[in-house]
Amino acid sequence: MALHFIANTAVPSASGQTLPVIDPATGETFEALARGNAADIDAAVTAARHCLDTTWARMSAAERGRLLMKLSAKVADHADELAALEQRDCGKPVKQARADALALVRYFEFYAGAGDKLHGDTIPYLDGYSVLTWREPHGVTGHVIPWNYPMQIFGRSVGGALAAGNVCVVKPSEDACLSLLRVAALAAEVGFPAGAINIVTGYGHEVGDALARHPGIDHISFTGSPRVGTLIQQVAAERHCPVTLELGGKGPQIVFDDADVDAALPFIVNAIVQNSGQTCSAGSRLLVQRGIYESVLQRVGDAFTALRAGPPAMDLDLGPLIRQSQLQRVRGFLDEARAAGIATVAQGRVVDEAAAGGFYAAPTLLRDVPPGHRLAQEEVFGPLLAAMSFDDEDHAVQLANATAFGLVAGVWTRDGARQFRMARRVKAGQVFINNYGAGGGVELPFGGVKSSGHGREKGFEALLGFTTLKTVAFRHG
Ligand code: NAD
């Protein structure tokens, strides 16, 4: 059975209750997980606070960095094992699971080297004063993590928080805990003090809610749905706890008629197919200039027809979705599209080897989706690509910005001036010109505007968010 990890020890939940771990590839239960509650969160916060006060806060940033570097190396040594855990737990194809493990290695490596570069300023002020600023850790940080990229999101969130001098209480998704519990055990093996990294597993409305309400949590980093993000922010507001929200997206992929379509094609497909479309930064809307709309749809459609979804071990284009309810959600969107007369251009297929009980969805390209339709507005979190055409630059900007989200956008054009104009005019936390995602760079600050959230993770910028600024003024005459 998978247990909580508190103070470097695997412990059952205070209630003794468990919940099932289901294999998305088959729909079968293969493991049990500790079902935590407020008492477990309290134990984790107590362990974290003790670690902060007795050990972590007394270590230099360089020492913390060395530990993170050791953890990075340890994770690299165990990359295959971690990838296998995540493959089973989340249904990721082999290549994706492996890429996620290696991203975790890189996050720890990046933050290992970054923490001791985090310094304040001196500020010119009145005669007789010297003023400086210190970047101080929040203290005990809470991390609520979704199921789609557990290792990557753990790496960017916990890695940054630890490097900045915080200790962490982590609540993974009930659908994706196994790899993270193993990483926490590896951290203990390389010498992280007891209480620096604590993991409490269980349901969001029980463990996640208890974490958000706990007065000993000094900052919350939440990655997940806009609905739960709102709940967390409301709960945190009652005690004025700072919150970073990384929420969903409805990423536009914008293709102008002067674009290098050959170069764009693989990006367009991958941006919606990666992780079976269960990616906050998925390129789920395809906006194409009218003159090349039909030819681009034809080519993207051909690529979609060739896509295959199947068992993770077959390492195809897509694995299963995470759970039955997610599959139903995707089917619901397709039913609504059909009822609204939205045409399907092309669909990939689910291979015969896929178990009947698995949560497989065929990737689907839909055309002329009305900009106000749910399919063009809401995050599906599945492999559905909604295509629509635009007339000119103003129209493209208007469509791109016409959702509640603003996380990631991609623009394809050879016109250099237009590249800059579009980068400025599209409302998103990241804009990619003639690419989409830039390989997911650990160094690149990531986060949203509007309903995609606020605050930034990844890159050096994340460290600023995991600290609070203290201004110190000396009056010395
Ligand atoms: P979710 O919001 O359902 O769950 C996210 C986490 O919150 C889970 O650990 C869950 O147990 C917990 N939770 C649920 N209810 C809670 C409550 N009442 N109080 C506290 N915690 C609670 O999201 P999900 O379905 O796991 O993940 C998919 C969503 O995450 C998508 O909307 C996606 O866009 C978003 N996401 C965003 C980013 C980003 O960086 N912007 C990255 C990955 C995923």
Side-chain angles (χ1 to χ4, degrees):
M1 188 172 78
L3 304 175
H4 303 313
F5 194 82
I6 299 175
N8 282 359
T9 310
V11 289
S13 54
S15 70
Q17 289 186 308
T18 61
L19 53 98
V21 181
I22 293 166
D23 182 345
T26 61
E28 285 164 12
T29 299
F30 69 96
E31 177 60 290
L33 200 61
R35 176 176 170 180
N37 61 23
D40 301 301
I41 282 291
D42 195 49
V45 173
T46 302
R49 180 70 57 190
H50 182 73
C51 175
L52 184 71
D53 292 345
T54 58
T55 316
W56 202 245
R58 296 182 184 180
M59 288 169 69
S60 69
E63 285 173 301
R64 292 194 302 260
R66 270 179 224 122
L67 266 182
L68 274 168
M69 193 57 101
K70 280 189 192 168
L71 181 55
S72 173
K74 189 83 168 173
V75 170
D77 288 345
H78 290 259
D80 288 341
E81 177 197 349
L82 291 166
L85 279 172
E86 196 126 309
Q87 187 182 316
R88 186 87 196 270
D89 206 8
C90 305
K92 287 175 188 266
V94 177
K95 267 198 284 303
Q96 182 66 52
R98 173 110 188 129
D100 288 3
L102 295 182
L104 180 62
V105 172
R106 177 68 188 124
Y107 275 116
F108 288 148
E109 181 185 59
F110 179 86
Y111 287 115
D116 61 357
K117 281 90 184 166
L118 188 62
H119 52 70
D121 293 317
T122 55
I123 300 175
Y125 193 54
L126 302 175
D127 184 38
Y129 282 85
S130 291
V131 181
L132 53 100
T133 58
W134 288 328
R135 290 244 157 233
E136 298 187 333
H138 293 291
V140 179
T141 49
H143 304 259
V144 182
I145 294 180
W147 44 261
N148 58 343
Y149 291 94
M151 282 196 280
Q152 292 215 33
I153 294 170
F154 182 91
R156 76 187 194 199
S157 183
V158 171
L162 289 169
N166 303 280
V167 290
C168 303
V169 176
V170 180
K171 192 294 200 206
S173 164
E174 51 275 31
D175 291 312
C177 296
L178 302 186
S179 59
L180 303 190
L181 290 167
R182 184 71 184 120
V183 173
L186 294 176
E189 283 178 29
V190 300
F192 273 78
I197 302 173
N198 307 278
I199 298 185
V200 181
T201 60
Y203 290 120
H205 64 280
E206 295 175 347
V207 177
D209 184 67
L211 182 151
R213 287 180 194 280
H214 199 291
I217 296 283
D218 301 312
H219 176 276
I220 300 170
S221 163
F222 172 78
T223 305
S225 61
R227 182 187 70 79
V228 177
T230 304
L231 289 177
I232 297 251
Q233 186 153 13
Q234 281 168 344
V235 167
E238 284 173 22
R239 56 190 181 83
H240 306 113
C241 178
V243 175
T244 297
L245 295 181
E246 299 280 5
L247 309 178
K250 194 72 194 174
Q253 309 196 63
I254 308 164
V255 186
F256 284 93
D257 59 11
D258 66 342
D260 180 347
V261 176
D262 288 341
L265 202 64
F267 283 90
I268 291 170
V269 174
N270 186 55
I272 186 64
V273 163
Q274 181 181 323
N275 211 34
S276 301
Q278 304 170 118
T279 305
C280 54
S281 54
S284 51
R285 290 183 295 153
L286 178 60
L287 278 47
V288 186
Q289 198 157 11
R290 203 171 300 285
I292 58 166
Y293 185 58
E294 294 302 335
S295 64
V296 169
L297 280 200
Q298 174 76 48
R299 296 186 65 184
V300 178
D302 290 347
F304 262 62
T305 306
L307 292 170
R308 289 178 307 156
M314 288 180 72
D315 207 13
L316 303 174
D317 306 299
L318 303 89
L321 302 179
I322 188 78
R323 58 168 112 91
Q324 182 68 34
S325 62
Q326 201 63 28
L327 180 58
Q328 275 159 356
R329 179 176 166 78
V330 171
R331 287 178 177 160
F333 270 97
L334 284 173
D335 290 345
E336 271 190 48
R338 246 170 250 128
I342 294 171
T344 295
V345 178
Q347 198 161 42
R349 69 183 177 90
V350 177
V351 298
D352 295 342
E353 292 87 341
F359 312 135
Y360 297 95
T364 307
L365 172 63
L366 300 124
R367 63 173 292 156
D368 308 336
V369 177
H373 191 272
R374 269 186 78 209
L375 203 51
Q377 289 292 324
E378 293 180 25
E379 193 177 38
V380 177
F381 236 50
L384 308 187
L385 180 56
M388 60 198 85
S389 60
F390 66 83
D391 298 317
D392 55 19
E393 207 172 299
D394 285 344
H395 192 199
V397 171
Q398 186 237 318
L399 287 176
N401 291 339
T403 75
F405 295 107
L407 191 59
V408 164
V411 180
W412 294 87
T413 175
R414 287 188 169 98
D415 180 334
R418 180 190 276 156
Q419 293 171 1
F420 273 87
R421 285 194 301 272
M422 290 298 291
R424 286 206 184 268
R425 294 179 74 191
V426 172
K427 290 187 171 50
Q430 288 189 327
V431 179
F432 298 101
I433 306 296
N434 291 335
N435 78 97
Y436 196 91
V442 164
E443 302 84 346
L444 312 181
F446 179 73
V449 297
K450 304 196 288 182
S451 291
S452 290
H454 49 75
R456 293 291 176 266
E457 290 199 343
K458 301 178 66 172
F460 198 81
E461 187 73 20
L463 290 182
L464 305 182
F466 285 120
T467 61
T468 179
L469 193 75
K470 181 180 279 176
T471 304
V472 186
F474 296 88
R475 181 165 170 267
H476 40 66

